[in-house]
Amino acid sequence: MKRNRVLSYFWYPVFMGLAVALFSVLLTAGASLPLALYLPIVLIGCVVLVLEWLHPERLDWRPQWADVRLDSLFLALVQVLLPRVLVALPVLSVAASEVGSFDIGWPQHWPLAAQVLAMLLLVELGRYWVHRACHVWPPLWRLHEVHHSPDLLYALNTSRFHPLEKVLHFCVDTLPFVLIGVGPQVIAGYFLLYASNGFFQHSNIRLRYGFLNYLVGSAQTHRWHHARDPRIAMCNFGSSSVVWDLLFGTWYLPPDPLPDIGILDRSYPRGFWAQMWTPFRSLISGDDQRQHARPDSHS
């Protein structure tokens, strides 16, 4: 038991560190940027899936095959195919050979790690307010509700987003940085951190972060964001970092047992295509009965 308690602090920093190290080694060895980016992410995903089975936080969060099939479809279509449609990968190639359209003095002379950190903090600021808006503005909540619809948390449902919300993310975390000429390795470095952290953040691994709960978007804090009670869920909006939650007063990690996960509407459809259509069906029908909470209502 004591060994498992120690290991719960070990998994996240060690494997995130290994992913960053592998990314750096591959770049130094002259590997292609897509390989240097996606190989560590795939390995992190596999590690997280194995750890979920060996060291689960909650046995009742182990997914059924129906969950795995659905979330795998979201992963393939929304997280892999859609970014290609949005020209995410071609955009990296363009950024490698051309200067951005606007020169705002991005510090390209900084070390790669410093540029990635700067991009992460700027992206997180934009995504913080977009995410917060998704919980208070009904049209955006209808899209974001897809992400909150699962009744459990495990690695693969980090990919469960409505495609239109993914387009919104792209307009915040990719397009502006390409336009200002941020280097492709910097953009790839950000996405390495974002994707790898996302697997851990949504995982069903028994994880403890200690002081890292005040730096990164951890599994411990993010589980409270997925609370079924919308008053509790108005917290911890950060994806990769909780810096802006701390600054804007929405960081929340009580010592209480974990909350019930999901949304209030227990009849929400479970199928992929039904979830694609449901946000528009409620809009067309004028159904505004989704419940929202004020930003300070969890405290």
Side-chain angles (χ1 to χ4, degrees), residues 70-71 73-79 82 139 141-149 159-167 268-284 290:
L70 176 59
D71 289 313
L73 189 58
F74 271 99
L75 178 63
L77 296 182
V78 178
Q79 299 286 32
L82 181 59
W141 169 249
R142 294 188 185 99
L143 297 176
H144 191 55
E145 194 172 23
V146 171
H147 183 67
H148 281 262
S149 62
S159 63
R160 194 181 298 199
F161 283 100
H162 194 281
L164 290 183
E165 184 176 2
K166 191 65 180 176
V167 171
Y268 197 84
R270 301 295 178 180
F272 178 83
W273 296 112
Q275 291 196 355
M276 295 300 97
W277 167 244
T278 296
F280 307 104
R281 183 178 62 191
S282 59
L283 182 64
I284 294 171
R290 308 287 186 204

Coordinates of all heavy atoms in Angstrom, one line a residue, residues 70-71 73-79 82 139 141-149 159-167 268-284 290:
L70 N -16.6 4.5 -29.0 CA -17.1 5.9 -29.2 C -15.9 6.9 -29.1 O -15.7 7.7 -30.0 CB -18.2 6.2 -28.2 CG -18.7 7.7 -28.3 CD1 -19.3 8.0 -29.7 CD2 -19.7 7.9 -27.2
D71 N -15.1 6.7 -28.1 CA -14.0 7.7 -27.9 C -12.9 7.5 -28.9 O -12.2 8.4 -29.3 CB -13.5 7.5 -26.4 CG -14.5 8.1 -25.4 OD1 -15.0 9.2 -25.6 OD2 -14.7 7.4 -24.4
L73 N -13.5 6.7 -32.0 CA -14.0 7.4 -33.1 C -13.8 8.9 -33.0 O -13.4 9.6 -34.0 CB -15.5 7.1 -33.3 CG -16.2 7.6 -34.6 CD1 -15.5 7.0 -35.8 CD2 -17.7 7.2 -34.6
F74 N -14.0 9.5 -31.8 CA -13.7 10.9 -31.6 C -12.2 11.1 -31.8 O -11.9 12.2 -32.4 CB -14.1 11.3 -30.2 CG -15.5 11.8 -30.0 CD1 -16.5 10.9 -29.6 CD2 -15.9 13.1 -30.4 CE1 -17.8 11.4 -29.4 CE2 -17.2 13.5 -30.2 CZ -18.2 12.7 -29.8
L75 N -11.4 10.2 -31.3 CA -10.0 10.4 -31.4 C -9.6 10.4 -32.9 O -8.8 11.3 -33.3 CB -9.2 9.3 -30.7 CG -7.7 9.3 -30.8 CD1 -7.1 10.5 -30.1 CD2 -7.1 8.0 -30.2
A76 N -10.1 9.5 -33.7 CA -9.7 9.4 -35.1 C -10.2 10.6 -35.9 O -9.5 11.1 -36.7 CB -10.2 8.1 -35.7
L77 N -11.5 10.9 -35.7 CA -12.1 11.9 -36.6 C -11.8 13.4 -36.1 O -11.6 14.3 -36.9 CB -13.6 11.7 -36.6 CG -14.0 10.4 -37.3 CD1 -15.6 10.3 -37.4 CD2 -13.4 10.2 -38.7
V78 N -11.9 13.6 -34.8 CA -11.9 15.0 -34.3 C -10.4 15.4 -33.9 O -10.0 16.5 -34.2 CB -12.8 15.1 -33.1 CG1 -12.7 16.5 -32.5 CG2 -14.2 14.8 -33.4
Q79 N -9.7 14.5 -33.4 CA -8.3 14.8 -32.9 C -7.2 14.5 -34.0 O -6.2 15.1 -33.9 CB -8.0 14.1 -31.6 CG -8.9 14.4 -30.5 CD -8.6 15.7 -29.9 OE1 -8.2 16.7 -30.6 NE2 -8.9 15.9 -28.6
L82 N -9.6 15.8 -38.3 CA -10.0 17.2 -38.3 C -8.8 18.2 -38.4 O -8.8 19.2 -39.2 CB -10.9 17.6 -37.2 CG -11.5 19.0 -37.2 CD1 -12.2 19.3 -38.5 CD2 -12.4 19.2 -36.0
P139 N -25.1 28.8 -26.1 CA -24.7 28.2 -27.4 C -23.4 27.5 -27.4 O -23.2 26.4 -28.0 CB -24.6 29.4 -28.3 CG -25.6 30.4 -27.7 CD -25.4 30.2 -26.2
W141 N -22.1 26.2 -24.6 CA -22.2 25.0 -23.7 C -22.8 23.8 -24.4 O -22.4 22.7 -24.2 CB -23.1 25.3 -22.5 CG -23.5 24.1 -21.7 CD1 -24.8 23.5 -21.6 CD2 -22.6 23.2 -20.9 NE1 -24.7 22.4 -20.9 CE2 -23.4 22.2 -20.4 CE3 -21.3 23.3 -20.7 CZ2 -22.9 21.2 -19.6 CZ3 -20.7 22.3 -19.9 CH2 -21.6 21.2 -19.4
R142 N -23.7 24.1 -25.4 CA -24.3 23.0 -26.2 C -23.2 22.2 -26.9 O -23.3 21.0 -27.0 CB -25.3 23.5 -27.2 CG -26.6 24.1 -26.5 CD -27.6 24.4 -27.6 NE -28.7 25.1 -27.0 CZ -28.9 26.4 -27.0 NH1 -28.0 27.2 -27.6 NH2 -29.9 27.0 -26.4
L143 N -22.2 22.9 -27.4 CA -21.0 22.2 -28.0 C -20.2 21.5 -26.9 O -19.8 20.3 -27.1 CB -20.2 23.2 -28.8 CG -20.9 23.8 -30.0 CD1 -19.9 24.9 -30.6 CD2 -21.3 22.8 -31.0
H144 N -19.9 22.2 -25.9 CA -18.9 21.7 -24.9 C -19.6 20.6 -24.0 O -18.8 19.8 -23.5 CB -18.6 22.9 -23.9 CG -17.4 22.5 -23.0 ND1 -16.2 22.1 -23.4 CD2 -17.3 22.6 -21.6 CE1 -15.4 21.9 -22.4 NE2 -16.1 22.2 -21.3
E145 N -20.9 20.5 -24.0 CA -21.6 19.5 -23.3 C -21.2 18.1 -23.8 O -21.2 17.1 -23.0 CB -23.1 19.7 -23.4 CG -23.9 18.9 -22.5 CD -25.4 19.3 -22.6 OE1 -25.8 19.8 -23.6 OE2 -26.1 19.1 -21.6
V146 N -20.8 18.0 -25.0 CA -20.3 16.7 -25.6 C -19.2 16.2 -24.8 O -19.1 15.0 -24.4 CB -20.0 16.9 -27.1 CG1 -19.3 15.6 -27.6 CG2 -21.2 17.2 -27.9
H147 N -18.2 17.1 -24.4 CA -17.0 16.7 -23.7 C -17.4 16.3 -22.3 O -16.7 15.4 -21.7 CB -16.1 17.9 -23.7 CG -14.8 17.6 -23.0 ND1 -13.9 16.7 -23.5 CD2 -14.2 18.0 -21.8 CE1 -12.8 16.6 -22.7 NE2 -13.0 17.4 -21.7
H148 N -18.4 16.9 -21.7 CA -18.8 16.6 -20.3 C -19.8 15.4 -20.2 O -20.1 15.0 -19.1 CB -19.3 17.8 -19.6 CG -18.3 18.8 -19.2 ND1 -17.8 18.8 -17.9 CD2 -17.6 19.7 -19.8 CE1 -16.9 19.8 -17.8 NE2 -16.8 20.3 -18.9
S149 N -20.2 14.9 -21.3 CA -21.3 13.9 -21.3 C -20.9 12.6 -20.7 O -21.8 11.9 -20.1 CB -21.9 13.7 -22.7 OG -20.9 13.2 -23.6
S159 N -10.4 13.0 -25.8 CA -10.6 13.4 -27.3 C -12.0 13.7 -27.6 O -12.3 14.1 -28.7 CB -10.1 12.3 -28.2 OG -10.9 11.1 -27.9
R160 N -12.9 13.6 -26.6 CA -14.3 13.8 -26.9 C -14.7 15.2 -26.9 O -15.1 15.8 -25.9 CB -15.2 13.0 -25.9 CG -16.6 12.9 -26.4 CD -17.6 12.2 -25.5 NE -17.2 10.8 -25.2 CZ -18.1 9.9 -24.7 NH1 -19.3 10.2 -24.5 NH2 -17.6 8.7 -24.5
F161 N -14.6 15.8 -28.1 CA -15.0 17.2 -28.4 C -15.9 17.3 -29.6 O -15.6 16.6 -30.6 CB -13.8 18.1 -28.5 CG -13.1 18.5 -27.3 CD1 -11.9 17.8 -26.9 CD2 -13.5 19.5 -26.4 CE1 -11.2 18.1 -25.8 CE2 -12.9 19.8 -25.3 CZ -11.7 19.1 -24.9
H162 N -16.8 18.2 -29.6 CA -17.6 18.4 -30.8 C -16.6 19.1 -31.8 O -15.8 19.9 -31.4 CB -18.8 19.4 -30.5 CG -19.8 19.4 -31.7 ND1 -19.5 20.1 -32.8 CD2 -21.0 18.8 -31.8 CE1 -20.6 20.0 -33.6 NE2 -21.4 19.2 -33.0
P163 N -16.7 18.7 -33.1 CA -15.8 19.3 -34.1 C -15.8 20.8 -34.1 O -14.7 21.4 -34.3 CB -16.3 18.7 -35.4 CG -17.0 17.5 -35.1 CD -17.6 17.7 -33.7
L164 N -16.9 21.4 -33.9 CA -17.0 22.9 -34.0 C -16.2 23.5 -32.8 O -15.6 24.6 -32.9 CB -18.4 23.4 -34.0 CG -19.2 23.1 -35.3 CD1 -20.6 23.7 -35.2 CD2 -18.4 23.7 -36.5
E165 N -16.3 22.8 -31.6 CA -15.4 23.3 -30.5 C -14.0 23.1 -30.8 O -13.1 24.0 -30.5 CB -15.8 22.6 -29.2 CG -15.0 23.2 -28.0 CD -15.4 22.6 -26.7 OE1 -16.2 21.7 -26.6 OE2 -14.9 23.1 -25.7
K166 N -13.6 22.0 -31.5 CA -12.2 21.8 -31.9 C -11.8 22.9 -32.9 O -10.6 23.4 -32.8 CB -12.1 20.4 -32.5 CG -10.7 20.0 -32.7 CD -10.0 19.8 -31.4 CE -8.5 19.4 -31.6 NZ -7.8 19.3 -30.3
V167 N -12.6 23.3 -33.8 CA -12.3 24.4 -34.7 C -12.0 25.7 -33.9 O -11.1 26.5 -34.1 CB -13.4 24.7 -35.7 CG1 -13.2 26.0 -36.5 CG2 -13.6 23.5 -36.6
Y268 N -28.9 12.3 -22.1 CA -28.1 12.8 -23.2 C -27.7 11.6 -24.1 O -27.3 10.6 -23.6 CB -26.9 13.5 -22.7 CG -26.2 14.4 -23.7 CD1 -26.6 15.7 -23.9 CD2 -25.1 14.0 -24.4 CE1 -26.0 16.5 -24.8 CE2 -24.4 14.8 -25.4 CZ -24.9 16.1 -25.6 OH -24.3 16.9 -26.5
P269 N -27.8 11.8 -25.4 CA -27.5 10.6 -26.3 C -26.0 10.2 -26.2 O -25.2 11.0 -26.0 CB -27.8 11.2 -27.7 CG -27.8 12.7 -27.6 CD -28.2 13.0 -26.2
R270 N -25.8 8.9 -26.5 CA -24.5 8.3 -26.4 C -23.8 8.1 -27.7 O -22.6 7.9 -27.7 CB -24.5 7.0 -25.6 CG -25.1 7.2 -24.2 CD -24.2 8.0 -23.3 NE -24.8 8.2 -21.9 CZ -24.2 8.9 -21.0 NH1 -23.1 9.5 -21.2 NH2 -24.8 9.1 -19.8
G271 N -24.5 8.1 -28.8 CA -23.9 7.8 -30.1 C -23.2 8.9 -30.6 O -23.5 10.1 -30.3
F272 N -22.2 8.7 -31.5 CA -21.3 9.7 -32.1 C -22.2 10.7 -32.9 O -22.1 11.9 -32.7 CB -20.3 9.1 -32.9 CG -19.4 10.1 -33.6 CD1 -18.3 10.6 -32.9 CD2 -19.6 10.5 -34.9 CE1 -17.5 11.6 -33.6 CE2 -18.8 11.4 -35.6 CZ -17.7 12.0 -34.9
W273 N -22.9 10.2 -33.8 CA -23.7 11.1 -34.7 C -24.8 11.8 -34.0 O -25.1 13.0 -34.3 CB -24.2 10.3 -35.9 CG -23.1 9.8 -36.8 CD1 -22.8 8.5 -37.0 CD2 -22.2 10.6 -37.5 NE1 -21.7 8.4 -37.8 CE2 -21.3 9.6 -38.1 CE3 -22.0 11.9 -37.7 CZ2 -20.2 10.0 -38.9 CZ3 -20.9 12.3 -38.5 CH2 -20.0 11.4 -39.1
A274 N -25.4 11.2 -33.0 CA -26.4 11.8 -32.2 C -25.7 13.0 -31.4 O -26.3 14.1 -31.3 CB -27.0 10.8 -31.2
Q275 N -24.5 12.8 -30.9 CA -23.9 13.9 -30.2 C -23.4 15.0 -31.2 O -23.3 16.2 -30.7 CB -22.6 13.4 -29.4 CG -23.1 12.5 -28.3 CD -21.9 12.3 -27.3 OE1 -20.8 12.7 -27.5 NE2 -22.3 11.6 -26.2
M276 N -23.2 14.7 -32.4 CA -22.9 15.7 -33.4 C -24.1 16.6 -33.6 O -24.0 17.9 -33.8 CB -22.5 15.1 -34.7 CG -21.2 14.3 -34.7 SD -19.7 15.3 -34.2 CE -19.6 14.9 -32.5
W277 N -25.3 16.0 -33.6 CA -26.5 16.8 -33.9 C -27.2 17.4 -32.8 O -27.9 18.4 -32.9 CB -27.5 15.8 -34.6 CG -28.9 16.3 -34.8 CD1 -30.0 15.8 -34.2 CD2 -29.4 17.4 -35.6 NE1 -31.1 16.5 -34.6 CE2 -30.8 17.5 -35.4 CE3 -28.7 18.3 -36.4 CZ2 -31.5 18.5 -36.0 CZ3 -29.5 19.3 -37.0 CH2 -30.8 19.3 -36.9
T278 N -27.1 16.9 -31.6 CA -27.8 17.3 -30.4 C -27.6 18.8 -30.1 O -28.6 19.5 -29.8 CB -27.4 16.5 -29.2 OG1 -27.8 15.1 -29.4 CG2 -28.1 17.0 -27.9
P279 N -26.5 19.4 -30.2 CA -26.3 20.9 -29.9 C -27.2 21.7 -30.8 O -27.8 22.7 -30.4 CB -24.9 21.2 -30.2 CG -24.2 19.9 -30.0 CD -25.1 18.8 -30.5
F280 N -27.4 21.3 -32.1 CA -28.2 22.0 -33.0 C -29.7 21.7 -32.8 O -30.6 22.6 -33.0 CB -27.8 21.7 -34.4 CG -26.3 21.9 -34.6 CD1 -25.5 20.8 -34.7 CD2 -25.8 23.2 -34.7 CE1 -24.1 21.0 -34.9 CE2 -24.4 23.4 -34.8 CZ -23.6 22.3 -34.9
R281 N -30.0 20.5 -32.4 CA -31.4 20.2 -32.1 C -32.0 21.0 -31.0 O -33.1 21.6 -31.1 CB -31.5 18.7 -31.8 CG -33.0 18.2 -31.6 CD -33.0 16.7 -31.3 NE -32.3 16.4 -30.1 CZ -32.0 15.2 -29.7 NH1 -32.3 14.1 -30.5 NH2 -31.4 15.0 -28.5
S282 N -31.2 21.2 -29.9 CA -31.6 22.0 -28.8 C -31.7 23.4 -29.2 O -32.6 24.2 -28.7 CB -30.7 21.8 -27.6 OG -29.4 22.2 -27.9
L283 N -30.8 23.9 -30.1 CA -30.9 25.3 -30.5 C -32.1 25.5 -31.4 O -32.9 26.5 -31.2 CB -29.6 25.6 -31.3 CG -29.5 27.0 -31.8 CD1 -29.4 28.0 -30.7 CD2 -28.3 27.2 -32.7
I284 N -32.4 24.6 -32.3 CA -33.6 24.8 -33.2 C -34.9 24.7 -32.4 O -35.8 25.4 -32.6 CB -33.5 23.7 -34.3 CG1 -32.3 24.0 -35.2 CG2 -34.8 23.7 -35.1 CD1 -32.1 22.9 -36.2
R290 N -30.6 23.7 -20.3 CA -29.4 23.3 -19.7 C -29.0 24.2 -18.6 O -29.2 25.4 -18.6 CB -28.3 23.4 -20.8 CG -28.6 22.7 -22.1 CD -28.6 21.2 -22.0 NE -28.8 20.6 -23.3 CZ -29.2 19.4 -23.5 NH1 -29.5 18.7 -22.4 NH2 -29.4 18.9 -24.7

